[in-house]
Amino acid sequence: MSPLLDVRNLRVSFPTPQGRAEVVKGLSFTLGRERLGIVGESGSGKSMTGRAILRLIRTPGRQEADRLAFDGIDLTTLSERRMRDLRGARISMIMQDPKFSLNPVMTVGAQIAEALLTHETLARRDVQARVIEMLHAVRINDPERVTGLYPHEVSGGMGQRIMIAMMLIPQPDLLIADEPTSALDVSVQAQVLDLIDELVRDKGMGLILISHDLQLVARYCDRILVMHAGQVVESCAAADLHKARHPYTRGLLAAVPRMEETRDELPVLDRSAWSGT
Amino acid sequence: MSAISLKNLDISYGPTKVVQGVDIEVAEGESFALVGESGSGKSTVLKAIAGLAPEWTGEISVLGQPRGHMVDHGFARRCQMVFQDPYASLHPRKTVDAVLSEPLQVQGIGNRGRRVVEMLAAVGLDTRFRFRFPHQLSGGQRQRVAIARALMLEPRVMLLDEPTSALDVSVQAEILNLLKRLRREQGLTYLLVTHNLPVVSFMCDRMAVMNKGRIVEIAPATALHDGSFQDPYTQSLYAASGGNPDRKDI
């Protein structure tokens, strides 16, 4: 079976007064119907990778790849119009902060319906039923009431669940979640991730989880790519994360405080070893 | 004498009461954490102590001296606050030098140039950063400046409102180490607000757990090792943070 996503030598660059700066430098990976985690610090290029897969890098930014194929479709040569049909319907993306990603002047119900109607033609009654069913699936109590609310009337955790509902309602094959919980509290974080995890597994979708939190990614993914300065420095199975060999990964792991902290001082990354961003 | 003493503290924003009946005693030299979800009122408690949320009733005293509802010059010399977001808490059009000199100017303290240079060294910043603007610094460097600003008046008590939650893990480690070292060197008392339980385990001696404006439990930080909490809310918060993965196999 051909992989769901095949990325070879992906490069993303932006112009600066000193010439073009590459923020993703030759990234290659393949993804089946599995859960892949991309981890790195800010500026490591992990979010740009997620956006490049959806071809969302706008000029003056530029993206190039030897191969960028989704389910056998070559994304590098696809017309903008065909690309739009693909976005949302087959690959969708959950953004970081619900406060900035939901339309403030549209009700929640109308926004979710819009996501569905862009890709399917349905009777109004069916649309309403699908929206309510989806809100149920993301565990929102009383979905009939919530469909009539505006984004400022819902909490952060609920907003993120609405985002997830919106992204999953066209039943995509691949979900890209870019820091889906970093704007949320720890207690809500676990709920939202459990939910994504459950939906991804039930529907047999592929998932790319982008985060700076190694522990979290290790908990929810099968495979992990560690990025630094636009390159993958390590790729391993999530269960083998503690066996990671690259000094950067080890440094990141060691820098996290533990529940049972006995160290007097946390080890700090020696940045001179990798001329980073 | 306790460093921070809060007795039956109620805080409201307009008609809404957000914090009710908080009693905390923090000993001098102790590092105490306030833990809870957003909206639990933990930051509001810090704001009330710092004088940024003036609608409170009850008693607040720092180092034995009760705090009034008005601006208090003497208070600023005893107690200072570090805010969550280093991108928002530094004036974008003031240089590091101006930011650090201002508290000295307000308090009429001389010898400012030397104090600024010394403080930059204490928080681990090179002197070449002295005349830079915040946008020329990274997130970790900005938080160092924010900590330096709070320390300029040599306070005994520091209020820390999520000092590392806007930072990457590796930068977080640097800032936590810095805070720990400063506390050891200068004998500071910390009141730290966070929702990150491992940070509490690293930094603090005791913790209070807040939920819906009330303190539900006060426990030693060592309770995080095995999750020996009494209150069901604390237990659920502990479980949501992943428990202690080092002990799962036992």
Side-chain angles (χ1 to χ4, degrees), chain B residues 187-204:
Chain B
L188 299 168
T189 305
Y190 283 167
L191 181 57
L192 171 87
V193 159
T194 183
H195 62 253
N196 189 333
L197 294 179
V199 167
V200 175
S201 178
F202 178 66
M203 287 280 296
C204 300

Side-chain angles (χ1 to χ4, degrees), chain A residues 167-181:
Chain A
M167 292 307 136
L168 291 183
I169 201 165
Q171 296 174 336
D173 298 298
L174 174 61
L175 183 69
I176 301 171
D178 186 2
E179 304 259 10
T181 57

Side-chain angles (χ1 to χ4, degrees), chain A residues 41-42 185 259-260 266 271, chain B residues 38 168 170 177 201 243 247:
Chain A
E41 292 182 88
S42 25
D185 267 322
M259 267 306 179
E260 186 167 359
L266 296 170
R271 273 159 214 288
Chain B
S38 40
D168 272 326
S170 56
N177 285 340
S201 178
R247 289 219 179 171

Side-chain angles (χ1 to χ4, degrees), chain B residues 6 34 46 51 70 83 86 126 152 156 201 204 220 235 248:
Chain B
L6 309 177
L34 273 179
L46 286 202
M70 297 300 176
F83 297 88
D126 200 276
M152 278 318 279
R156 311 293 309 139
S201 178
C204 300
Q235 285 163 357
K248 277 220 172 105

